[in-house]
């Protein structure tokens, strides 16, 4: 250290250009941020106004709810049987009356199976009763009866399929609202049935057709009409629960836009549903001809009310996407048993209609309170 205060000469050093640069202080390493979690795939946006897709848990709850509803309908049916056994035991519990109840349930039951598919698919069919009337009248003309049992059966099926085809084309490719399209078919089919029959009753004279309705044709005490109803019910169960057609029906009714994005031809599916409804009406028309031995333009009156009501109380959602064939069939049996009880107890038809209307209202309110 210099204490004298004199300036110490600076030692010569290398020029600045040759001087090595002073090492810059290395910045202290900043702590690295924690690795961000990998972004989860964003859900596919759904179409505006579409319902969210159902998770497996929701589907399980719906199945459980359907089972509970079916058990409830069985309980109601058992209660009605108990009422009949208490009020009119001899008449209600007789074999003939039970056969009558099943026979009456068969015709409207076949129609209800077709209507159930249409409602599950998001549609509605108000023309089923008129289609049945038109098919019965057309198939019982003198010209058609000349072809025998096969001609009558084929005519009823073709008339039902033809009307269903028109409904399906109007709804699927014509862009019409199902309510309006089927209401137009109701009016047109009723008018055509009246025009063909001229307001009269056309008697069937084909012996094989009439023999199907006699007791000699019963199989182990079961009328052939009931056997056909059972076959249609089993076919509907398998079609809805075990086939691609049934899964597509539920998808179209629950979320049409999502079904379209999934590759389902929505218009084609709806067309097939109305064809199925028309086919069921054709089968029901043939059963009605066997049962009554005639064709009238008044046949099938209010069948649309009975079929839709049975489907609703059976758990079919009016907005589509949910429903069971089993529940609809149980609904048919409940309504038929109520009608039979009212008839045995000499109650007026007006009371029956009021009771049906009240049951429909209660069923819809229950559905609104139990949305998934």
């Amino acid at each position: 250290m210099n204490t004298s205060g004199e300036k110490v000469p600076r030692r010569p050093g290398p020029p600045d250009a040759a001087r090595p640069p002073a090492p810059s202080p290395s910045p202290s390493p900043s702590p690295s941020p924690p690795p961000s979690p990998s972004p989860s795939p964003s859900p596919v946006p759904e179409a505006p106004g579409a319902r969210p897709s159902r998770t497996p848990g929701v589907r399980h709850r719906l199945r459980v709810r359907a089972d509970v509803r079916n058990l409830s309908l069985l309980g109601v049916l058992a209660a009605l049987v108990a009422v009949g056994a208490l009020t009119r035991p001899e008449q209600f519990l007789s074999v003939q009356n039970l056969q009558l109840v099943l026979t009456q349930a068969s015709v409207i039951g076949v129609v209800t199976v077709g209507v159930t598919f249409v409602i599950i698919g998001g549609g509605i069919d108000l023309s089923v009763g008129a289609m049945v009337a038109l098919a019965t009248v057309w198939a019982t003309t003198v010209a058609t009866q000349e072809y025998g049992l096969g001609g009558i059966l084929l005519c009823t099926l073709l008339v039902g399929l033809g009307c269903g085809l028109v409904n399906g084309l109007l709804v699927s490719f014509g862009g019409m609202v199902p309510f309006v399209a089927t209401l137009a078919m109701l009016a047109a089919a009723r008018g055509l049935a009246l025009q063909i029959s001229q307001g009269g009753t056309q008697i069937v004279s084909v012996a094989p057709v009439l023999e199907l309705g006699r007791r000699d044709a019963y199989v182990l005490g079961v009328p052939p009409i009931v056997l056909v109803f059972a076959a249609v019910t089993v076919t509907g169960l398998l079609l809805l629960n075990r086939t691609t057609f049934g899964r597509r029906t539920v998808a179209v009714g629950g979320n049409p836009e999502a079904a379209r994005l999934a590759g389902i031809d929505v218009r084609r599916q709806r067309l097939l549903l109305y064809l199925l409804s028309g086919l069921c009406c054709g089968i029901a028309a043939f059963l009605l001809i066997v049962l009554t031995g005639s064709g009238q333009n008044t046949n099938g009156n209010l069948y649309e009310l009975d079929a839709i009501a049975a489907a609703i109380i059976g758990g079919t959602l009016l907005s589509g996407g949910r429903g069971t064939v089993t529940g609809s069939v149980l609904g048919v049996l409940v309504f038929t048993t109520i009608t039979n009880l009212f008839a045995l107890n000499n109650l007026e038809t007006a009371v029956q209609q009021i009771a049906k209307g009240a049951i429909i209202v209660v069923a819809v309110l229950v559905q609104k309170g139990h949305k998934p």
Side-chain angles (χ1 to χ4, degrees):
M1 180 178 295
N2 184 13
T3 58
S4 60
E6 296 181 357
K7 293 183 179 181
V8 179
R10 184 179 182 182
R11 300 176 64 183
D16 293 341
R19 185 181 303 163
S24 59
S26 60
S28 60
S30 60
S32 60
S36 59
S38 58
S40 58
S42 58
V44 179
E46 296 188 354
R51 291 186 214 163
S53 58
R54 291 171 178 169
T55 62
V58 173
R59 288 195 295 268
H60 175 71
R61 289 197 299 270
L62 290 178
R63 285 194 296 268
V64 172
R65 187 171 298 167
D67 294 338
V68 172
R69 186 180 292 107
N70 292 339
L71 291 175
S72 301
L73 287 174
L74 284 174
V76 172
L77 192 59
L80 292 174
V81 172
V83 171
L86 291 175
T87 56
R88 291 288 188 272
E90 296 181 359
Q91 296 91 340
F92 183 79
L93 296 179
S94 64
V95 175
Q96 292 79 8
N97 187 66
L98 295 179
Q99 290 174 340
L100 176 63
V101 170
L102 292 177
T103 301
Q104 292 176 341
S106 298
V107 179
I108 185 61
V110 172
V111 175
T112 303
V113 172
V115 170
T116 300
F117 274 87
V118 172
I119 297 178
I120 293 175
I124 195 72
D125 194 347
L126 301 179
S127 62
V128 290
M131 287 193 290
V132 170
L134 179 60
T136 58
V137 168
W138 205 323
T140 54
T141 58
V142 176
T144 306
Q145 292 190 50
E146 292 179 355
Y147 296 94
L149 185 149
I152 293 176
L153 175 60
L154 181 61
C155 182
T156 55
L157 297 181
L158 289 179
V159 171
L161 285 172
C163 294
L165 177 63
V166 173
N167 283 337
L169 290 175
L170 291 177
V171 172
S172 302
F173 297 92
M176 293 185 66
V177 178
F179 183 91
V180 176
T182 57
L183 187 62
M185 175 57 69
L186 183 154
R190 284 288 180 191
L192 186 56
L194 179 61
Q195 181 69 26
I196 294 174
S197 66
Q198 296 296 318
T201 301
Q202 300 176 168
I203 305 299
V204 177
S205 59
V206 180
V209 175
L210 299 176
E211 290 174 357
L212 289 175
R214 295 172 182 167
R215 293 190 175 274
D216 297 339
Y218 286 13
V219 180
L220 299 177
V222 180
I225 294 177
V226 178
L227 295 178
V228 174
F229 173 40
V232 171
T233 301
V234 172
T235 304
L237 281 170
L238 296 176
L239 192 62
L240 182 62
N241 300 321
R242 301 297 182 202
T243 65
T244 304
F245 179 85
R247 290 189 290 270
R248 288 177 177 175
T249 299
V250 175
V252 169
N255 195 329
E257 184 62 21
R260 184 186 64 82
L261 295 175
I264 299 176
D265 191 339
V266 176
R267 295 191 299 180
R268 177 177 176 272
Q269 186 68 22
R270 285 175 174 167
L271 174 62
L272 292 176
L273 290 175
Y274 282 100
L275 280 173
L276 178 61
S277 178
L279 177 62
C280 289
C281 288
I283 297 173
F286 180 76
L287 298 183
L288 193 58
I289 291 173
V290 172
L291 185 62
T292 62
S294 63
Q296 305 177 53
N297 66 293
T298 56
N299 284 338
N301 187 32
L302 293 181
Y303 271 18
E304 54 276 358
L305 171 64
D306 294 337
I308 295 173
I312 292 174
I313 70 170
T316 302
L317 199 63
L318 270 177
S319 56
R322 191 184 77 193
T324 62
V325 175
T326 303
S328 298
V329 171
L330 289 176
V332 170
L333 293 176
V334 167
F335 274 128
T336 308
T337 305
I338 290 175
T339 302
N340 183 260
L341 282 175
F342 283 9
L344 291 178
N345 288 277
N346 299 321
L347 296 177
E348 298 180 357
T349 306
V351 180
Q352 300 179 24
Q353 300 301 330
I354 294 173
K356 288 181 181 180
I359 292 173
I360 295 173
V361 171
V362 172
V364 172
L365 290 178
V366 170
Q367 284 186 1
K368 289 177 68 65
H370 291 84
K371 285 186 177 181

